[in-house]
Amino acid sequence: METPAFLATVFVWSLLLSLTGYSLYMGFGPPSQDLRDPFEEHED
């Protein structure tokens, strides 16, 4: 079970999960209060 393909798969999945978690945190967590909405700024 310690083949290079298995380790590469585990690495890719952990990278994908960590990026997804970070994106969700930035989009919906406390840092999202600092985000700006460019569509809302240019509404006439």
Side-chain angles (χ1 to χ4, degrees):
M1 199 171 205
E2 293 293 323
T3 63
F6 176 74
L7 294 176
T9 303
V10 169
F11 174 75
V12 169
W13 273 107
S14 63
L15 184 66
L16 178 70
L17 287 175
S18 60
L19 284 175
T20 303
Y22 180 72
S23 298
L24 287 172
Y25 174 73
M26 292 301 289
F28 298 105
S32 69
Q33 301 301 319
D34 297 333
L35 296 176
R36 64 181 185 86
D37 185 5
F39 294 105
E40 194 172 290
E41 290 176 359
H42 297 290
E43 246 179 53
D44 292 325

